[in-house]
Amino acid sequence: MKKVVIGMSGGVDSSVAAYILKEQGYKVIGLFMRNWDSYADGELENAPTTKEGICPQEVDYNDAKKVCDKLGIPLYRKDFVKEYWDYVFKYFLDELKNGRTPNPDIMCNKYIKFDMFVKEAEKIGADYIATGHYARIKDGKLLRALDDNKDQTYFLSQVSKEQLKSVLFPIGDMIKPEVRMLAEKLELNTAKKKDSTGICFIGERNFNNFLRNYLPNTPGKIVNIETNEVVGNHIGLMYYTIGQRRGLSIGGTEERMFVVGKDLSKNILYIAVGEESEYLLSDSCIIDNVNYLGDKKIDKCTAKFRYRMKDVNVELKWLNENELLVSYPQGVKRVTPGQACVLYDKEECLGGGIIKEVIKNNKKIWYL
């Protein structure tokens, strides 16, 4: 009997995934990861708790334990707090310091869920590892999930071919309502549990208050890039991203303002009027840290520059083994340094890279 170690998060997706694996005849072992210590590094006063005064992470562990007990599978617990800090959270902070918009969930998958977790699973004799991600693997290819609304291949784009070799995604052929219905039928305690949101393993919290524990708060001016007029004050460049509209302290106007750039040296946040502003548009970008999953390099495919956006047609030009020029002459709004550009060939996820430079008319956009 093949042994599968599954990451149990305390949510409904991993709960149903564990059940499916057991029904398929695997020997299933649960492994719960603890990756964040809310009571360290000055966060004590802002550490989240439930109404009962329990850390949400402990609630998740207790939920995972109840599911495993009901399914008759063992549950182990492993701390990766130091590894998460070293490989994910420091990266997150460094990117914010540099004025970029990082995606820590992608790096969490690369360094924790499909690296540290795998090594721990191998210690207990795993033939495979599994997670509750909405994705599929077929003939060694990473494919989009059946549920397009929940597809998570965007967040798996930095996981290597080698890392994906012994991975199972049991719910990749299901849609979310089916997952919840099955959980209810099995009377699992996680059946109606709300999906987790927020930063990977850190969860929901007041983002501004949270960041103040780790990065200095440096207010500055908000400048209209079209008129060079100072129109307000920002609370710190790290709190804003390209295309953002909410949270701008601009008085005396009813016009819709959008963040279009940052100047770190002068501590200026640039805005422009209207979501159709030319300052939100680009026609190409350079991505680095490219993780390419395709069997052969192609020069045309589709791409996502944000998780929820629709695919756009792009052309690819390799600059070197780690960098790609991604062109989209039709123009795309809000392409943002630090975010992931993920490539697709129909259903297949070809991997992707991190947006390094944003370009328009063959020139790097200076205000980004």
Side-chain angles (χ1 to χ4, degrees):
M1 183 183 292
K2 294 289 187 179
K3 185 185 293 185
V4 180
V5 175
I6 180 169
M8 297 296 294
S9 66
V12 66
D13 296 328
S14 59
S15 300
V16 170
Y19 167 77
I20 291 172
L21 290 169
K22 188 173 180 184
E23 287 295 294
Q24 290 174 342
Y26 292 104
K27 181 178 180 181
V28 183
I29 296 173
L31 183 59
F32 180 87
M33 292 176 281
R34 178 176 175 269
N35 295 329
W36 185 254
D37 184 356
S38 295
Y39 295 93
D41 302 292
E43 202 195 334
L44 180 59
E45 291 183 4
N46 294 315
T49 60
T50 65
K51 292 179 180 178
E52 295 77 21
I54 304 171
C55 170
Q57 198 163 220
E58 289 304 307
V59 172
D60 290 339
Y61 173 75
N62 292 335
D63 287 341
K65 185 70 169 66
K66 289 176 184 177
V67 169
C68 288
D69 288 346
K70 187 172 183 65
L71 297 178
I73 64 176
L75 179 66
Y76 293 84
R77 178 173 175 150
K78 176 67 178 178
D79 275 17
F80 293 121
V81 173
K82 183 181 185 302
E83 291 85 353
Y84 184 87
W85 180 276
D86 290 343
Y87 294 106
V88 180
F89 196 64
K90 283 175 68 176
Y91 160 83
F92 176 64
L93 294 180
D94 288 343
E95 288 286 88
L96 290 174
K97 286 178 190 175
N98 291 325
R100 290 155 60 101
T101 303
N103 194 313
D105 291 30
I106 289 176
M107 294 305 164
C108 183
N109 282 327
K110 179 178 182 177
Y111 292 112
I112 305 299
K113 294 179 182 177
F114 294 90
D115 187 1
M116 301 300 173
F117 177 89
V118 173
K119 291 171 182 174
E120 191 64 26
E122 288 173 347
K123 290 179 184 177
I124 50 181
D127 296 295
Y128 301 98
I129 71 152
T131 70
H133 282 97
Y134 285 86
R136 296 177 292 156
I137 293 180
K138 184 177 180 181
D139 299 326
K141 300 177 187 290
L142 178 62
L143 305 180
R144 302 182 204 248
L146 183 67
D147 189 339
D148 187 58
N149 189 52
K150 296 298 292 185
D151 173 61
Q152 292 175 302
T153 51
Y154 181 90
F155 300 108
L156 298 169
S157 58
Q158 282 289 315
V159 179
S160 70
K161 284 185 178 181
E162 187 65 29
Q163 288 173 304
L164 289 169
K165 276 184 177 178
S166 300
V167 174
L168 303 174
F169 295 125
I171 62 171
D173 289 308
M174 302 177 69
I175 62 173
K176 185 74 178 202
E178 291 175 336
V179 171
R180 289 216 180 266
M181 285 176 62
L182 181 53
E184 289 185 29
K185 181 180 177 181
L186 297 169
E187 297 182 341
L188 299 180
N189 57 292
T190 56
K192 296 182 179 180
K193 187 174 180 179
K194 181 183 174 184
D195 288 345
S196 61
T197 58
I199 304 171
C200 181
F201 286 109
I202 297 175
E204 295 182 69
R205 59 185 69 206
N206 184 302
F207 185 67
N208 293 0
N209 289 342
F210 173 71
L211 278 185
R212 288 190 187 103
N213 291 292
Y214 306 97
L215 294 176
N217 186 34
T218 311
K221 300 298 183 184
I222 299 176
V223 173
N224 184 326
I225 197 169
E226 297 165 313
T227 64
N228 206 34
E229 176 189 5
V230 176
V231 294
N233 298 287
H234 66 76
I235 58 173
L237 294 178
M238 61 188 173
Y239 299 119
Y240 305 88
T241 189
I242 305 304
Q244 179 175 332
R245 181 171 69 89
R246 299 182 186 279
L248 295 175
S249 299
I250 302 172
T253 179
E254 294 182 1
E255 295 181 297
R256 290 160 63 91
M257 303 286 195
F258 292 82
V259 174
V260 297
K262 306 174 184 181
D263 186 327
L264 268 67
S265 63
K266 297 179 181 179
N267 195 28
I268 293 174
L269 184 74
Y270 288 105
I271 58 92
V273 177
E275 58 186 326
E276 299 304 321
S277 170
E278 64 173 308
Y279 290 97
L280 288 171
L281 275 172
S282 62
D283 55 38
S284 57
C285 67
I286 293 174
I287 63 174
D288 60 8
N289 296 297
V290 175
N291 176 52
Y292 193 74
L293 299 174
D295 292 332
K296 60 180 181 179
K297 293 179 180 178
I298 58 178
D299 56 13
K300 291 183 179 181
C301 63
T302 62
K304 289 179 184 289
F305 299 100
R306 296 180 302 279
Y307 172 46
R308 288 295 183 186
M309 75 176 289
K310 293 182 178 179
D311 286 37
V312 296
N313 293 320
V314 298
E315 297 180 4
L316 308 178
K317 181 182 178 181
W318 288 89
L319 303 179
N320 54 58
E321 286 302 308
N322 294 311
E323 291 189 330
L324 263 175
L325 174 65
V326 182
S327 301
Y328 35 96
Q330 72 275 30
V332 175
K333 292 186 290 187
R334 301 174 179 148
V335 177
T336 307
Q339 284 284 283
C341 167
V342 181
L343 308 173
Y344 293 91
D345 183 10
K346 300 181 178 66
E347 292 301 298
E348 181 182 0
C349 177
L350 300 172
I354 306 302
I355 299 166
K356 177 183 178 182
E357 294 180 6
V358 183
I359 299 167
K360 183 163 63 175
N361 299 327
N362 297 315
K363 292 181 180 179
K364 176 183 176 182
I365 298 177
W366 66 268
Y367 46 85
L368 295 182

